[in-house]
Amino acid sequence: MEDEKKRIVVVTGGSKGIGRCIELRFARPDTKIIFNHYDPDDEAANETIKLVEKEGGTAVGYKVNVASPSEVSDFFKKIMDEEGRIDVLVNNAGITMDAILVRMTEAAWDRVIDINLKGAFLCTQAAAKVMMKQRSGCIINIASVVGAMGNAGQANYVASKAGLIGLTKTAAKELASRGVRVNAIAPGFIDTEMTAKLSEKVKEAMVAQIPFKKMGQPEDVAGAAAFLASEDASYITGQVIHVNGGMYM
């Protein structure tokens, strides 16, 4: 019976990086975290579960392709069958397949749009139906600074994140009357596994664009997510919170 009283937080792409950090921020005895991932194995997911438990929370992970309507439907059906509600959804799943526009393949375009934008649409649609009936809920979309300012070599990624910002605003207008809030966080250059693979020269060029002269941490994004999901943000919807060290103003 105790689990029925827990706050249910769903995070996509939650086995590592920003997703994992968000889950650790939400980890507490009165919260159950349900995340999905699309890793080749469950190693990172199992590590995330252990870290959440260490913080006093409860977590469970599933392998789900967020671009698959059937897999997303099954994922949310399982959540509702077992928990009966969804309080927070964080659409964090995302990939990059970079190339300059004239050399970008159609497959690379489609794959990034499918995961980053279609995946968020499918998950938002599924969660919104639940939250509308509850007349409560919070949806947080992890966009990107480049979705607002553009970035050479990332036409697919930028388009997906700009689209996610538009989806956020539209969903916020449609769901507000049912007590559901929808906001986005647009991280700047964050120190993650993805950026760690970049050369020092590229990193230096990135940092040079930031007034704070340093990269952000996943915890900075997690803090914004915790705020948007809290009662302190109860009158905030349809907004994009930029977490970028002043890179874009």
Side-chain angles (χ1 to χ4, degrees), residues 86-87 127-139 180:
I86 300 170
D87 297 294
K129 292 176 181 178
V130 174
M131 292 176 176
M132 288 172 72
K133 291 180 181 178
Q134 296 172 176
R135 303 193 74 84
S136 69
C138 171
I139 298 171
V180 180

Side-chain angles (χ1 to χ4, degrees), residues 178-210:
R178 299 297 185 93
V180 180
R181 298 184 297 106
V182 188
N183 292 289
I185 299 171
F189 292 135
I190 306 298
D191 188 8
T192 63
E193 183 178 306
M194 185 183 296
T195 54
K197 297 176 182 177
L198 300 173
S199 69
E200 286 304 314
K201 185 177 180 180
V202 171
K203 289 181 184 178
E204 288 173 6
M206 291 165 60
V207 170
Q209 301 177 57
I210 305 170

Side-chain angles (χ1 to χ4, degrees), residues 14-248:
S15 62
K16 48 194 171 184
I18 289 174
R20 173 188 283 180
C21 198
I22 287 172
E23 289 153 13
L24 292 176
R25 185 61 183 260
F26 280 105
R28 49 189 296 171
D30 64 355
T31 299
K32 181 170 184 178
I33 297 163
I34 303 168
F35 68 90
N36 64 40
H37 69 90
Y38 204 57
D39 301 331
D41 56 50
D42 292 331
E43 183 179 354
N46 290 337
E47 178 65 19
T48 296
I49 291 169
K50 291 178 183 177
L51 290 170
V52 169
E53 291 175 346
K54 187 177 179 180
E55 294 297 319
T58 303
V60 59
Y62 299 96
K63 186 170 183 176
V64 177
N65 177 5
V66 294
S68 166
S70 61
E71 290 190 36
V72 169
S73 177
D74 290 346
F75 175 61
F76 280 92
K77 183 178 185 302
K78 186 173 185 64
I79 293 171
M80 290 306 294
D81 287 346
E82 295 183 359
E83 311 299 338
R85 65 180 296 107
I86 300 170
D87 297 294
V88 179
L89 166 66
V90 181
N91 282 310
N92 171 71
I95 63 169
T96 59
M97 295 180 70
D98 298 347
I100 62 172
L101 181 64
V102 295
R103 293 181 182 173
M104 184 171 289
T105 65
E106 184 178 352
W109 173 272
D110 288 345
R111 183 61 177 160
V112 171
I113 295 295
D114 277 353
I115 297 295
N116 298 9
L117 185 55
K118 180 182 176 182
F121 158 71
L122 292 173
C123 293
T124 296
Q125 188 177 60
K129 292 176 181 178
V130 174
M131 292 176 176
M132 288 172 72
K133 291 180 181 178
Q134 296 172 176
R135 303 193 74 84
S136 69
C138 171
I139 298 171
I140 301 168
N141 294 321
I142 306 301
S144 170
V145 63
V146 300
M149 64 182 283
N151 196 37
Q154 290 193 307
N156 49 4
Y157 184 76
V158 170
S160 72
K161 294 302 186 177
L164 193 53
I165 290 172
L167 175 63
T168 297
K169 293 177 179 292
T170 295
K173 288 189 174 185
E174 292 185 3
L175 301 177
S177 64
R178 299 297 185 93
V180 180
R181 298 184 297 106
V182 188
N183 292 289
I185 299 171
F189 292 135
I190 306 298
D191 188 8
T192 63
E193 183 178 306
M194 185 183 296
T195 54
K197 297 176 182 177
L198 300 173
S199 69
E200 286 304 314
K201 185 177 180 180
V202 171
K203 289 181 184 178
E204 288 173 6
M206 291 165 60
V207 170
Q209 301 177 57
I210 305 170
F212 273 150
K213 300 304 178 188
K214 64 179 181 179
M215 297 178 72
Q217 297 299 315
E219 289 81 4
D220 297 321
V221 181
F227 166 69
L228 287 174
S230 74
E231 285 301 311
D232 290 337
S234 62
Y235 198 55
I236 298 175
T237 196
Q239 303 305 306
V240 181
I241 306 299
H242 289 274
V243 183
N244 60 36
M247 179 182 170
Y248 174 82

